[in-house]
Amino acid sequence: MKFKDLDGLEYEFDNISGAIYQSYDYIKEPLPNSDRIIENQKKRRNIINSIMLGNSQKLNINNLTKQYYIDNGIKQLTFKLTDQCNMRCKYCTYSDYYPFTSMYGNQQLKISDALKGVDIYMDVIKKHNSVWTNVELKPTFTFYGGEPLLQFDVIKQIVEYIETKYSKYEAAYLMTTNALLINDEISKFIKKHNFHISISLDGYRENHNRNRVTVAGKGTFEQIDKIIRKYLLDYKNWNIFMCYDFKTDFDRLINRDRFGLGEDYFYDHIAKITLVCDVNTNYYNQFNKIDYNKYVNKIKTIKKSFIDKISNGKDLNFLERIFFEYEFILIDDRNKYTPNYSFYEVPLGNCIPGDKLFLQTDGSFTLCEKVPNYEEFILGDINTGIDIEKVKKLINKINEDFLVKCRNCEISRLCSVCYAMLYKDNDGKFSIDKKICDNQKEILKKKLGIYASLKRKNNSIFDYFYVDRYLNNN
């Protein structure tokens, strides 16, 4: 892919090696730091090149067995405890705005099914740790909903089972919650078992109350604020996840003096800021062109400030850091996108189904909480565990339905394509909106241009964040 930096200098991104070249009339000069990426690719260049040229030398899907999960482990087991929720957030994927996902319902995960899921997951963890003693995995359990605290009794039983049967393992517990149900009992339990709690709080009061409402349509910021102050200010293991859309006032968000209620804890605990999902949805039909243009211009202003500050060694505010810092770190550390193996038609950052497990209320396993509700995404259940034939069938279908079209893509190594972005067309084939691909290429061109400008002026600009583990492991 050819692109220009902020000063108009021309560059090329080599999708095979991951190197970035500055373009001249007769030579190509690697951008500083690219040499270690090129060196690291030598032993893998042939297979990657073959894949990109469309040959059949990608790894044979028949070589994918259950041993893969023993060797690599399963990152976490997430319990979908219930389809119910005590709120009706307007952008929730359960809402009518997202036609391909589940709806609110009355299903609840049975404790017997949950415990079977624990045993299946822990069997893989035990086998992995017995073989790979130098890279032992810590079992991680995440509680999800709907609203998971509606099933607090089930959570207690699951944790008790884990800590009784698997007491020698230091299990980690995570939960995403709207926090409205936290009380004395739940607070003590969370703290006793060292839960990592992520609370959904959309910034300042008016922005939160615009979308995060009760079943009766009433804003919830004031209730959550009281609960945080009563139960969580003396606890360290909690953070805030925030969503934003075209109506969010970023100037107010970064201004402590204007933030209002919650200012004293928001900035210390904000961990993630995410655009309301814009894939396979009609949520954004409610906004007009003025809203959109205002939003785009504000993002450009924040990006300009980020470039100026990081170029001159100035401190970033939390919004600049969360919005842009990590994106450029991923480009700088792009070697992580080079797979040691790939069952896909192109080398990309997509997961192998089963790297994480999401246990649904009916006892079936799917990829994660974000994927559409398609039968093909069911990987097994609490009676069979991961069905390796279903995993193979899904990867084959993804390859045949649309990844074959990506063989000549110029940016597949930096692509963030994900199962959550897919939809089925009228022929039952998985596809991704062409606008998403085109938009991603344009965005990456601009990011690469900014990245090249920053690296050219200061080659060590991202070294404070760089982790060399990918190179050291080869």
Side-chain angles (χ1 to χ4, degrees), residues 3-17:
F3 63 93
K4 293 182 179 181
D5 72 5
L6 297 176
D7 296 315
L9 297 178
E10 293 187 350
Y11 293 81
E12 243 180 271
F13 170 69
D14 181 1
N15 194 52
I16 296 175
S17 69

Side-chain angles (χ1 to χ4, degrees), residues 259-287:
F259 189 92
L261 187 65
E263 174 272 335
D264 55 323
Y265 56 77
F266 177 82
Y267 296 96
D268 293 330
H269 290 277
I270 182 65
K272 185 177 181 181
I273 303 177
T274 308
L275 178 69
V276 172
C277 182
D278 58 352
V279 178
N280 298 331
T281 181
N282 56 12
Y283 174 82
Y284 287 90
N285 292 350
Q286 64 186 289
F287 302 105

Side-chain angles (χ1 to χ4, degrees), residues 26 101 171 183 275 328 430:
Y26 300 105
T101 57
N183 54 26
L275 178 69
F328 289 102
F430 284 120

Side-chain angles (χ1 to χ4, degrees), residues 177-190:
T177 175
N178 59 41
L180 287 178
L181 297 175
I182 295 178
N183 54 26
D184 286 332
E185 181 187 5
I186 291 174
S187 172
K188 290 175 182 177
F189 179 84
I190 285 170

Side-chain angles (χ1 to χ4, degrees), residues 120-364:
I120 288 171
Y121 174 61
M122 289 304 301
D123 182 60
V124 175
I125 295 293
K126 287 193 295 183
K127 289 177 179 176
H128 172 88
N129 289 355
S130 66
V131 174
W132 300 93
T133 55
N134 59 328
V135 283
E136 290 189 352
L137 291 177
K138 182 177 182 177
T140 300
F141 299 93
T142 300
F143 299 92
Y144 199 80
E147 169 50 45
L149 288 177
L150 287 169
Q151 294 297 306
F152 178 56
D153 286 342
V154 175
I155 295 174
K156 288 192 296 182
Q157 292 178 69
I158 292 172
V159 171
E160 180 183 2
Y161 182 78
I162 293 168
E163 298 193 348
T164 300
K165 186 171 183 178
Y166 304 103
S167 57
K168 75 173 185 177
Y169 297 89
E170 295 183 12
Y173 304 111
L174 291 76
M175 185 190 305
T176 301
T177 175
N178 59 41
L180 287 178
L181 297 175
I182 295 178
N183 54 26
D184 286 332
E185 181 187 5
I186 291 174
S187 172
K188 290 175 182 177
F189 179 84
I190 285 170
K191 295 171 183 178
K192 177 182 177 181
H193 298 283
N194 201 30
F195 267 65
H196 293 261
I197 303 297
S198 296
I199 294 177
S200 301
L201 191 77
D202 287 353
Y204 57 90
R205 175 170 23 196
E206 288 79 2
N207 191 64
H208 177 96
N209 285 344
R210 183 165 54 86
N211 277 322
R212 298 194 63 82
V213 298
T214 64
V215 176
K218 184 179 178 181
T220 56
F221 187 96
E222 292 80 359
Q223 291 174 266
I224 297 171
D225 175 75
K226 290 178 181 178
I227 289 169
I228 287 174
R229 294 184 187 283
K230 185 173 182 179
Y231 297 114
L232 294 176
L233 289 187
D234 65 343
Y235 186 57
K236 65 177 182 179
N237 291 332
W238 69 280
N239 56 35
I240 293 171
F241 284 1
M242 173 187 167
C243 287
Y244 67 92
D245 60 23
F246 297 165
K247 287 286 190 179
T248 302
D249 184 348
F250 295 116
D251 290 326
R252 179 173 176 182
L253 189 64
I254 63 174
N255 191 327
R256 284 179 176 268
D257 294 332
R258 292 182 56 205
F259 189 92
L261 187 65
E263 174 272 335
D264 55 323
Y265 56 77
F266 177 82
Y267 296 96
D268 293 330
H269 290 277
I270 182 65
K272 185 177 181 181
I273 303 177
T274 308
L275 178 69
V276 172
C277 182
D278 58 352
V279 178
N280 298 331
T281 181
N282 56 12
Y283 174 82
Y284 287 90
N285 292 350
Q286 64 186 289
F287 302 105
N288 58 40
K289 194 171 183 179
I290 295 174
D291 296 328
Y292 174 74
N293 289 337
K294 185 177 179 180
Y295 162 77
V296 169
N297 289 334
K298 188 58 192 176
I299 295 296
K300 288 180 179 178
T301 300
I302 298 171
K303 183 180 290 186
K304 184 178 179 182
S305 176
F306 165 81
I307 295 169
D308 175 68
K309 287 181 179 179
I310 200 168
S311 297
N312 294 288
K314 298 178 181 179
D315 291 335
L316 303 173
N317 65 43
F318 82 94
L319 200 58
E320 293 160 347
R321 177 168 288 110
I322 294 176
F323 269 9
F324 299 113
E325 183 181 52
Y326 187 59
E327 292 184 2
F328 289 102
I329 296 301
L330 289 181
I331 294 176
D332 196 58
D333 200 8
R334 60 195 174 279
N335 186 67
K336 71 185 290 186
Y337 287 93
T338 303
N340 289 303
Y341 44 77
S342 177
F343 297 105
Y344 295 110
E345 285 291 330
V346 295
L348 39 70
N350 214 0
C351 68
I352 299 296
D355 283 345
K356 297 192 298 183
L357 284 179
F358 186 67
L359 179 56
Q360 302 193 103
T361 53
D362 64 358
S364 64

